[in-house]
């Protein structure tokens, strides 16, 4: 679809590739910084904005209260309770509302159904080679490009097994397939956010089923009751994310991730497995956790390798070598995760000529791609990148080198760079970043936390840099400021 009100120019001031949450935050920031008559083109291979949410399973919900999932500070066009966890369709509808709001602020040409196949930068401008849904090639010229193509999340395929006497499916097709299963047993494979969403949805929609969780080394979740306490409790109860990040970062020295993780797990998290080893920045409430603990028929702390026939009965074959007999006709749901399954090409967040900004986990500046897009766009359009104090982490490589280290390193990096953003950008830019989870709390509490942090800023930054340098040396991965 092309915005009919805007004639299509041959050359744009800015081209944004990707209309997910990152692209929309880049567009929000661009609308704040660029002159009113600037021309922007927004490209996405999908037919609408919404990013990974468009293809997500239909029972996915936001794990944070909905106001903190937006473009910039655009409010949701409804008056639901602040703690409401928006559904997939509500999220997609909010994307539409954000785009409509931004159209009024900046001249944006929307090119959906257009895939970017390559980006070529010269000293003068950038050429974005694209292909449309009819397979025709097209070139878009722009002065600058923001490449916000996400983590290339694609819906998972059903797991394939030696034994065929089970029903293997995915969250996207679970409820349409469930009727075909001859056994009431459902095995949820994976204990991350998708696994939790799936178990909770099964409790609600298929109460006659017996739900088993195969959750590897287990995942913990930030305790939503702590990070988003309800009602007036917001004034005194709970914990600001920024304060938690500072607490954890100061305990982390680059080598003691296990100890800091144990401290974090004890004080700030919930999850059905109290000894879990993984954390992917998800949130879960104490009530949801209690439902999971009470409702799960069994929990298997191991990884599923295959389902095999053994003595005429299907068995789960686990990584430890253990076998668990299951009923024929059981359902197996692949919730093994969507993120960073594919190799992403390394691109520094800012290109050689300074005309292409890339939001990527390979040159990550914040654990949330949307927050990275918001702040980096502000700096990019002010010609302030690269910034010699901003650390960039190759999160994909670190994750593969050490699962244990990436969580605390991601926290340390996000804290350091948030402090750098706060120093570089006007206070109004920070105030309009509605993605900040701490907006949940009343302003005086946030202000007090920021003042406390401000006093320790120099010490915190020095510590974070030291830790990130130690991580870089230990793992031999990219974890340093980009050269100016
Ligand atoms: C199951 C699941 C649940 C989640 N739940 C939450 C949650 O509750 N809260 C939360 O904050 N986060 C959640 N996340 C994380 C989520 O990924 C981010 O919040 C956010 O939506 C990511 O936005 P993005 O724009 O970076 O990436 P995406 O949403 O992946 O958007 C990237 C866009 O770029 C487009 N694109 C990619 N390549 C090209 C190309 N070559 N040409 C044209 N277009 C291209 C894609 O079509 C897509 O629209 C969840 C993730 C998953 C997988």
């Amino acid at each position: 679809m092309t915005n009919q009100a805007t004639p299509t120019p041959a050359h744009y001031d800015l081209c944004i590739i990707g209309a997910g949450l990152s692209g929309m935050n880049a567009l929000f920031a661009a609308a704040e910084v660029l002159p009113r008559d600037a021309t922007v083109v927004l490209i996405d291979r999908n037919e609408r904005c919404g990013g990974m949410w468009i293809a997500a399973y239909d029972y996915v919900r936001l794990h944070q209260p909905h106001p903190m999932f937006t473009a910039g500070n655009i409010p949701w066009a409804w008056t639901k309770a602040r703690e409401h966890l928006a559904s997939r369709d509500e999220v997609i509808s909010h994307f539409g509302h954000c785009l409509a709001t931004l159209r009024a602020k900046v001249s944006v040409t929307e090119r959906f159904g257009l895939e970017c196949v390559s980006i070529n930068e010269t000293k003068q401008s950038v050429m974005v080679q694209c292909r449309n849904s009819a397979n025709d090639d097209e070139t878009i010229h722009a002065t600058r490009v923001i490449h916000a193509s996400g983590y290339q999340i694609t819906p998972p395929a059903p797991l394939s097994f030696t034994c065929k006497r089970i029903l293997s499916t995915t969250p996207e097709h679970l409820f349409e397939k469930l009727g075909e299963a001859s056994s009431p047993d459902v095995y949820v494979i994976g204990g991350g956010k998708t696994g939790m969403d799936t178990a909770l949805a099964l409790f609600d929609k298929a109460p006659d089923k017996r739900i088993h969780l195969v959750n590897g080394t287990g995942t913990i979740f930030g305790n939503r009751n702590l990070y988003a306490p309800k009602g007036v409790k917001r004034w005194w109860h709970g914990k600001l994310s920024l304060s938690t990040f500072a607490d954890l970062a100061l305990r982390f020295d680059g080598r003691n991730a296990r100890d800091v993780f144990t401290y974090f797990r004890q004080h700030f998290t919930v999850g059905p497995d109290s000894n879990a080893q993984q954390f992917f920045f998800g949130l879960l409430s104490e009530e949801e956790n209690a439902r999971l603990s009470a409702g799960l028929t069994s929990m298997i702390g191991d990884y599923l390798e295959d389902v095999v026939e053994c003595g005429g009965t299907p068995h789960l074959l686990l990584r430890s070598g253990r076998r668990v007999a299951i009923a024929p006709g059981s359902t197996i749901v692949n919730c093994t995760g969507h993120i960073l399954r594919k190799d992403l090409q390394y691109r520094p967040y800012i290109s050689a000529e300074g005309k292409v900004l890339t939001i990527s986990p390979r040159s990550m500046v914040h654990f949330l791609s949307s927050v990275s897009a918001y702040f980096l766009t502000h700096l990019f359009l002010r010609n302030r990148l690269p910034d010699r104090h901003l650390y960039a982490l190759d999160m994909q490589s670190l994750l593969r080198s050490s699962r244990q280290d990436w969580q605390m390193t991601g926290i340390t990096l996000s804290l350091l760079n948030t402090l750098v953003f706060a120093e570089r950008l006007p206070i109004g830019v920070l105030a309009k970043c509605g993605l900040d989870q701490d907006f949940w709390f009343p302003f005086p509490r946030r202000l007090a936390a920021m003042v406390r942090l401000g006093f320790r800023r120099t010490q915190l930054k020095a510590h974070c840099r030291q830790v990130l340098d130690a991580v870089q040396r230990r793992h031999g991965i990219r974890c340093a400021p980009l050269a100016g």
Side-chain angles (χ1 to χ4, degrees), residues 301-451:
D302 209 331
Y303 290 92
L304 180 65
E305 295 286 349
D306 198 359
V307 181
V308 293
E309 287 282 350
C310 199
T313 311
H315 279 68
L316 303 178
L317 177 61
L318 302 168
R319 190 173 291 173
S320 63
R322 195 158 74 95
R323 287 165 193 240
V324 177
I326 63 170
S330 293
T331 304
I332 301 211
V333 200
N334 180 6
C335 301
T336 56
H338 302 61
I339 292 181
L340 289 183
R341 294 276 146 166
K342 287 186 197 152
D343 272 338
L344 297 177
Q345 191 191 339
Y346 172 74
R347 287 198 185 95
Y349 69 73
I350 189 79
S351 61
E353 299 294 340
K355 294 187 175 63
V356 182
L357 174 69
T358 301
I359 311 301
S360 159
R362 305 260 358 230
S363 188
M364 181 176 106
V365 299
H366 193 281
F367 78 96
L368 288 175
S369 54
S370 47
V371 171
S372 307
Y374 178 85
F375 286 115
L376 287 179
T377 300
H378 271 287
L379 291 172
F380 179 50
L381 298 179
R382 287 173 166 84
N383 299 315
R384 303 279 295 271
L385 294 180
D387 184 302
R388 67 192 175 86
H389 293 290
L390 210 56
Y391 270 63
L393 168 70
D394 182 349
M395 201 257 269
Q396 177 176 293
S397 299
L398 180 58
L399 191 55
R400 285 175 190 173
S401 175
S402 163
R403 286 213 152 205
Q404 196 122 63
D405 280 358
W406 89 268
Q407 296 137 345
M408 291 308 145
T409 305
I411 285 171
T412 307
L413 173 92
S414 303
L415 176 70
L416 172 65
N417 287 340
T418 301
L419 293 170
V420 174
F421 292 141
E423 286 173 358
R424 297 287 182 275
L425 291 163
I427 186 83
V429 171
L430 266 80
K432 286 186 181 176
C433 182
L435 300 158
D436 182 352
Q437 177 66 35
D438 290 344
F439 274 110
W440 181 258
F441 294 95
F443 179 68
R445 267 194 89 174
R446 277 188 284 133
L447 185 65
M450 282 189 290
V451 169

Side-chain angles (χ1 to χ4, degrees), residues 157-171 173-174 177-178 181 183-190 198 202 210 212 214 304-308 314-318 324 326-336:
L159 294 166
S160 103
F161 301 113
T162 309
C163 169
K164 304 296 174 207
R165 289 199 301 144
I166 42 97
L167 179 80
S168 182
T169 187
T170 62
H173 300 286
L174 174 60
K177 287 274 180 193
L178 210 51
S183 159
D185 289 301
V186 180
Y187 290 83
V188 174
I189 313 301
T198 300
L202 282 162
R210 289 195 298 257
H212 310 261
V214 179
L304 180 65
E305 295 286 349
D306 198 359
V307 181
V308 293
H315 279 68
L316 303 178
L317 177 61
L318 302 168
V324 177
I326 63 170
S330 293
T331 304
I332 301 211
V333 200
N334 180 6
C335 301
T336 56

Side-chain angles (χ1 to χ4, degrees), residues 43 114-117 128-132 136-140:
I43 295 175
L114 196 64
E115 175 162 28
C116 158
V117 287
V128 181
Q129 300 289 351
C130 299
R131 193 159 299 145
N132 66 21
D136 300 324
D137 291 336
E138 195 178 316
T139 305
I140 287 178

